[in-house]
Amino acid sequence: MLAEELVLKQRTKILHALCSSGSAEHLERVLDILLAQGALIWEDYQNIQVPGRTLYTNARQLLDLVYTKGVDTCGLFLHALKLVLPEAQAVGLSFSESCSNLEENDECQSTSNQTLLAQRPSLVHKLQGCVDGVLEALLDSGHFSSADCDEVRLPIYTPTQQARRLLDHVRSRGDLAASVLLQYIHQKQEPGLPLNQRELTPPKEFLTYQKKLSSSVSAQSCFLSTYGGTSHMSLDDIYTDGELELAEVNAHGPLGLEDIVGLAGIVNEEADTVLVSGEAGSGKSTLLQRLHLLWARALALQDFLLLFPFSCRRLNSEHNELSVQELLFQHCCWPDRNQEEIFQFILDRPHQILFTFDGLDELKQSFTDDHRVCCPTQRAPVHVLLFNLIQGSLMKGVQKVVTSRSEAVSPLLKKHLRKEVVLKGFSPAGIDCFVRKHHRDPTVAAKVLESMQANTALLGLCHSPVLCWIVSQCHKELLGCGEGSPKTITDVYLMILQHFLQHQSLLKSTMGLGWLQEHLKTVLLLGQLAFEGIRSTCYIFSGTDLEACSVTEKDICMVFLIKSKDMSSTHSKCYEFSHVTLQCFFAALFIVLSSNTNRSVIPKLFELENMREAGLTRVCFGACLPSSDQQQQASEKESKAAETPNLQITAMFVSGLLSQRHQNLWLHCCPSAAVEKKARQVAKCLSKGMQKHFRSIPQPVQGEKKSMHAMPDFVWLIKCLYEMQESQIAKDAMSKLEVDHLKLTYCNIGPVECTALAYVLQHLRNPVGLQLDNNSVGDVGVEQLLPCMHICNSLYLRNNNITDEGIHKLIAKVIQCDSFQKIALFNNKLTDACMQDFSYLLKTKQVFISLRLGNNNITAEGAKQLAEGLKANQTLAYLGLWGNRIGDAGTEALASSLEKSNSLVWLSLVGNGVGSAGACALANLIRKNTSLQELWLTENCITRMGVEGLIQALKHNTYVTSVWLRNNDLSLEDAEEMKQLESRLIF
């Protein structure tokens, strides 16, 4: 196929590949190559790169220009595209076989300005890191003014954009200015080195420090640092990739580790901070540890000369004011000599330095931008330094990667982010991989996996890496529990508690429920320590702190506490719970079992109030709390938001522990009356919390349905209800919810939350529309939702990583549900394989009215299968298939099947590679159909001939109100002429 035809037929895909990341980098690199090859002249470049115009508009301008220049230019363009696009974004694109070698013209050009064009791609690369030097040379020579320099240095530009703006400005100043730039680069060149290497070569003392730092980072990262009793486990042996996605609509697809600091998904070019967010136990710390290890071994992130890792949990223990230099060298790695020179090198090369901060949600203070620090040598409290690093006031240009739980990230923090990447835990394949790595014996691994697969609630829990580890660790208990297999998160943590207590027990023959009674004292002491820590936002405990709670060496040997790897600590020994969720679990055990907590603890816990005033006489933890009263008051004021996620997890465990299912466990541990009283308190708190949400539902506008947009706290209450496993409490709560539509978008709904939602929502009295767009439902989550499908009249699951397997189970269920009428599955992973299921749905349910399957992987074959169902259906009103690949053949099949429909009012085939043949088939549909009102054909390949067919058909149809045809293969003149002929065409 000729290059011209490839450009034309792939126009929509090319636009998406160039622009979907939101960054102009790919487009600008293509332009660099085309300028260098002479395919574009300077005036072409200026017409494309119009300031203030949108990225998509600039890309379309380039495509139009390339196409008009003919086959050779199209061939050069396609090959440039192949060179520039990452492999993931080039999937599905075909490239011309011609122009297979694009070589930069290194021959001497007649003028320096011509050299700037001919060598533009390499010059952009060489100028990174030395833009300031070139600007000084141009300023000294009188070719640039200070205003010109400021314009190039604008903070909104990335380093590559600064280089391009510099080249553009220099070219406009003539040949002498171009000569100054080229001479500056030439002077930087040394024999045997690439042009841009000399100024980047670090001094010897820096390389010595780099080696020491990488050795330190490697030593800290080579063994798994999370979970109890795993200090002997090599990270290489156990590490399993989690699912990483962009927080924005995930057009990019799955991400790799290095994509975290890559170009994909950048939303704020000016910012330097990347946030990796995820639920507690989703593997954020382990992911960061893996990145550290790969850098230390020179296997990844090699653009960064130095990597400085920090733990926010351990930074809590730093009470002294520090400068950035002291923070780096005292908390990471101290240089043996030349400290000032090494720090100056860091300041001079910020774009080659990476900071990582693990667990921002565990920092005692909530993020604020009130206190500004701009000087790297100025001392300030550690949290103030951290906040200024994140927002870029300090060390501008240094990349920072921060991890945190999603719910702890404020809108104020998000405005300072370069991008947000969400870690969604294990995929089904990840669970399989992790279990097989954890159990070297294939037979044991197979049995554990079989047990998980047999219990979908347990399988849903195992998408969380920490829960997957617990289940794998307790495989003997799991395989021996039969029908009593864990259902809730509380069940899983009770299993790990029993596992370790019984392994430490002197009475190995202890059977039944006696295992807890035997170790009750240890559980209460560790529970008090955990409870006090949660109240104080404290996660690292000194020996003095342990003594204050009477925790002994014997209690420490239970492996729930592990030694803290705190290089900077002044304490001889510090301890922390093996995972923050385990600390929450022990705090909940203390609340349930202790007689020393007062009546206000549970109400305050569920109201997420300041737990510092609840419960016990104050225990001051020296490793965690400031020394002065003034510092303490400031800390208490700022830490409220930071501690909320852990209070919620603790409350969830309290709900689960007070379930009737576990009452027998407490019989010999505490008075039954006290436990029952606490259970009633929890039930009352949950009911009160739900009522508060229901009262906040606004009255609907007249003529609209009553809708509730659930807040994250609502999901938390739902999970607490599920942990209790008291169906009557759930039924009473849902009996008071009267809405037509329940919206839970962007609420971090995964398989665990789906299980809880189904358990509670099945008790609704009237059918609702359930909207779960932009979450992490997946196939396992879909299966967990099935018990509440009978109460759903519509289901919205946009962008949820759902595949054909999940759809097969969903359709098998909903065809049995009388009320079910609508489904939306935009931006998932559906293929032709599930179209047979949708076809069966359409044939079976003659009340079904809306099917939206946009932005999936459906081809002409899938459209043909769907058409079979459409022929038999007379109720479907809305059919959306935008962003697939159905082409002309698929369009013809769909159009033919809908000709006799008397219900269809809206049809979208946007971005489907529909050409004039498909348009002619749709013209026949318009002639024969009397119900269709809107037809969307934007971003296709329809030519003048196809539009003329639509115009002729519209002459025989008065029902159609609009046909959308923007961004098809029509000239502006053709579009204007067609619009005059038919006003219902929209271009």
Side-chain angles (χ1 to χ4, degrees), residues 36-317:
Q37 294 296 316
L40 297 182
I41 61 174
W42 185 248
E43 287 72 20
D44 294 332
Y45 175 79
Q46 291 178 311
N47 288 333
I48 293 167
Q49 290 288 70
V50 177
R53 207 162 61 179
T54 66
L55 177 59
Y56 269 96
T57 304
N58 288 344
R60 289 191 185 98
Q61 183 77 15
L62 173 61
L63 284 171
D64 292 343
L65 185 61
V66 164
Y67 184 73
T68 59
K69 283 179 176 284
V71 64
D72 291 340
T73 303
C74 286
L76 286 168
F77 168 74
L78 288 170
H79 195 71
L81 207 62
K82 186 177 182 181
L83 291 174
V84 164
L85 290 178
E87 188 175 338
Q89 286 177 251
V91 171
L93 285 173
S94 297
F95 300 100
S96 173
E97 293 301 319
S98 60
C99 303
S100 58
N101 289 307
L102 292 184
E103 295 183 359
E104 194 167 283
N105 188 354
D106 290 323
E107 296 178 7
C108 291
Q109 306 297 314
S110 58
T111 68
S112 296
N113 249 337
Q114 289 177 350
T115 303
L116 293 190
L117 285 185
Q119 297 183 18
R120 185 178 175 94
S122 63
L123 286 173
V124 168
H125 181 68
K126 293 166 188 174
L127 282 169
Q128 291 182 59
C130 63
V131 166
D132 287 340
V134 176
L135 288 173
E136 287 178 18
L138 289 164
L139 197 60
D140 293 341
S141 63
H143 292 99
F144 266 36
S145 66
S146 297
D148 294 328
C149 295
D150 291 342
E151 192 172 340
V152 171
R153 289 190 182 112
L154 282 174
I156 60 171
Y157 294 143
T158 63
T160 55
Q161 287 175 326
Q162 285 186 346
R164 291 187 181 98
R165 297 301 82 80
L166 174 58
L167 290 172
D168 296 349
H169 278 284
V170 167
R171 194 180 190 285
S172 68
R173 299 304 160 91
D175 222 42
L176 289 176
S179 298
V180 171
L181 182 147
L182 293 171
Q183 185 178 3
Y184 181 91
I185 292 177
H186 180 72
Q187 288 173 349
K188 290 291 180 182
Q189 185 179 16
E190 284 185 347
L193 282 179
L195 288 177
N196 64 327
Q197 284 298 300
R198 182 179 174 187
E199 84 160 358
L200 299 181
T201 302
K204 183 178 179 181
E205 60 270 18
F206 180 89
L207 294 174
T208 302
Y209 177 69
Q210 182 190 50
K211 185 176 180 181
K212 181 179 180 182
L213 176 63
S214 62
S215 296
S216 173
V217 171
S218 178
Q220 291 289 315
S221 307
C222 60
F223 292 106
L224 188 65
S225 63
T226 50
Y227 318 146
T230 56
S231 58
H232 63 284
M233 191 176 289
S234 166
L235 188 67
D236 291 328
D237 292 340
I238 195 65
Y239 180 78
T240 304
D241 284 323
E243 292 186 292
L244 277 172
E245 294 181 0
L246 297 170
E248 301 298 310
V249 174
N250 190 31
H252 184 274
L255 301 177
L257 286 179
E258 290 202 86
D259 290 324
I260 293 172
V261 292
L263 294 173
I266 294 174
V267 295
N268 184 355
E269 293 275 4
E270 186 178 353
D272 305 315
T273 301
V274 175
L275 172 69
V276 178
S277 63
E279 297 297 307
S282 60
K284 301 183 294 295
S285 297
T286 309
L287 175 144
L288 218 49
Q289 191 182 345
R290 184 63 175 172
L291 270 179
H292 296 164
L293 186 60
L294 292 174
W295 173 82
R297 292 176 174 173
L299 296 175
L301 304 177
Q302 291 308 287
D303 290 339
F304 299 104
L305 295 177
L306 298 179
L307 185 153
F308 292 97
F310 298 94
S311 162
C312 293
R313 175 182 289 196
R314 294 178 185 110
L315 290 178
N316 280 330
S317 304

Side-chain angles (χ1 to χ4, degrees), residues 842-843 846 867-874 897:
L842 292 168
K843 291 176 183 177
Q846 291 300 323
E868 294 302 313
L870 290 169
K871 288 178 184 177
N873 185 282
Q874 287 301 318
S897 68

